[in-house]
Amino acid sequence: MKNVPRILTAWTLYDWANSVHSLVIVSSIFPVYFSATALNETGGPVINFLGLSIKNSVLFSYTISAAFLFTALLSPVCSAIADYSGRKKTFMKVFCYTGAISCSLLYFFTKETTTFAVICFWLSLIGWSGSIVFYNSYLPDIATEDQFDRVSARGFSMGYIGSVILMVINLVVILKRDWFGNISEGLASRIAFLTVGLWWIGFAQIPFSRLPDGTKKVKQAGNYLLNGFKELQHVWTELQEQPLAKRFLVAFFIYSMGVQTVMYVATIFGSDELKLPGQSLIVTILLIQLVAIPGAYGFSWLSGRLGNTYALMIAVTIWIVVCACAYFVQTESQFFGLAAVVGLVMGGIQSLSRSTYSKLIPASTDTASYFSFYDVTEKASIVLGTLLYGLIEQLTGNMRNSILALLVLFIVGFMLLWRIPSQKIYGLRVENAELS
């Protein structure tokens, strides 16, 4: 049964639960704390990590790359096991708990425990990204096609609202430390990391109690490891007969390299390149989250008016302008203005990408396998995007040169989207069948 309000609400509450990781750990408090804490004995940014001398901002980018590369290799195996055991929700729980507990352990992050903290950060990214593939795969199982855009946008909006609420609570602790016994700013930040884990696990219990377990498939011969990658190969083979879906995934891969990289390194850019104070950066990220809520709904409305592809092309065009402006940004007010624009398109492009893909996959198919493929595509884009960003900075010594590379990615993504006919919300699967 689809479009059951109670189940749809429960599904969106996982966005509410896990999005605090994206805001507090990835985008705001943790990157600022990391830049201020991951320093060498003389206070410089080049630190020793597992025997290697590396700049802390480059290590931050590479850690993200490594986490998503690991998830991209792991998720096909887990998806295959979930498919043939009917335990989609179980795997979602395992990744959720791994990520949340790792966030909580960041409470122990000090200058002396930097290596431990980097490993915990790495595990938190794996837990977050691993749970998302199973979470996303529920969308076509619980909603009809005409509801994909709306429900997907609602999920992202719930995530933004929930993460902002916890962020405000954490900001109160950080900015009003005298209310809490004059604790240090470092301790206030580490308390924020602990609250992320507790919030994530706590609110995740609602979707875990209401979402179905998944449909059990007939077990195939062979081991689960090979079956996982066979599933991806099977999806890839099917995509050859679905030109719209194939074209979309190629375009999604390219522009996601830019989108995801901006999301993961924006705070580090403001901290290291613009030398903005930590509190200003945190307020900026909070602004992005607030603006992203109407942005997600706005692009959902736009897709209904113009079609998914045209709406995505508008979003990518705005990202091109953002990157061009970011290369020249110098002041705090300019950074704030750019952040507001990023917020408008961040939620919209993520929500619309998820719902567009839901429309393009065959109506009668195994959604976990298709979303595993989608997840691997997205994770591979994050790996390459953050790796490219970090590598260019390492080679040139300037983050602004990395931004130029992102600009090129968005231009290429726009050109690839241009090849996809834009259909309104009810027509994508029909058009996909006709083109095949």
Side-chain angles (χ1 to χ4, degrees), residues 56-69:
N56 54 15
S57 60
V58 175
L59 176 61
F60 189 87
S61 295
Y62 285 174
T63 302
I64 295 170
S65 301
F68 286 106
L69 175 60

Side-chain angles (χ1 to χ4, degrees), residues 162-366:
S163 57
V164 165
I165 290 174
L166 183 61
M167 180 68 151
V168 169
I169 295 173
N170 288 329
L171 280 178
V172 170
V173 177
I174 292 172
L175 300 178
K176 298 294 182 179
R177 299 189 301 279
D178 55 309
W179 294 0
F180 304 91
N182 287 315
I183 61 176
S184 67
E185 186 173 356
L187 177 57
S189 298
R190 290 188 285 117
I191 289 174
F193 308 151
L194 178 61
T195 63
V196 168
L198 297 175
W199 178 286
W200 190 354
I201 288 178
F203 283 105
Q205 301 312 307
I206 299 174
F208 289 160
S209 67
R210 298 181 186 177
L211 289 174
D213 288 324
T215 303
K216 187 174 182 179
K217 293 174 64 175
V218 178
K219 186 175 180 179
Q220 292 182 343
N223 60 61
Y224 282 131
L225 176 62
L226 294 179
N227 284 342
F229 290 97
K230 285 178 181 177
E231 286 287 330
L232 291 184
Q233 183 181 15
H234 176 69
V235 172
W236 174 252
T237 301
E238 290 190 354
L239 285 172
Q240 308 312 306
E241 305 299 323
Q242 302 169 50
L244 281 187
K246 182 180 177 181
R247 292 178 196 172
F248 170 75
L249 279 173
V250 174
F252 171 72
F253 173 75
I254 297 298
Y255 70 69
S256 281
M257 289 175 65
V259 173
Q260 300 292 342
T261 302
V262 170
M263 290 172 57
Y264 285 108
V265 303
T267 304
I268 292 292
F269 175 82
S271 176
D272 289 11
E273 186 70 22
L274 302 180
K275 308 300 180 184
L276 299 181
Q279 293 181 5
S280 296
L281 289 170
I282 293 172
V283 170
T284 300
I285 300 301
L286 187 60
L287 170 66
I288 290 176
Q289 298 296 114
L290 292 172
V291 175
I293 298 170
Y297 281 110
F299 275 95
S300 174
W301 173 85
L302 198 62
S303 71
R305 293 282 182 172
L306 303 177
N308 288 56
T309 306
Y310 287 147
L312 283 169
M313 289 170 65
I314 291 172
V316 172
T317 300
I318 297 174
W319 277 106
I320 292 172
V321 175
V322 165
C323 286
C325 293
Y327 182 80
F328 297 102
V329 69
Q330 296 289 342
T331 67
E332 184 174 335
S333 59
Q334 291 172 343
F335 188 73
F336 281 173
L338 208 57
V341 178
V342 167
L344 281 174
V345 291
M346 181 177 68
I349 199 167
Q350 288 181 292
S351 171
L352 204 53
S353 295
R354 179 169 66 184
S355 62
T356 299
Y357 184 71
S358 297
K359 295 176 182 181
L360 287 169
I361 64 178
S364 56
T365 189
D366 169 45

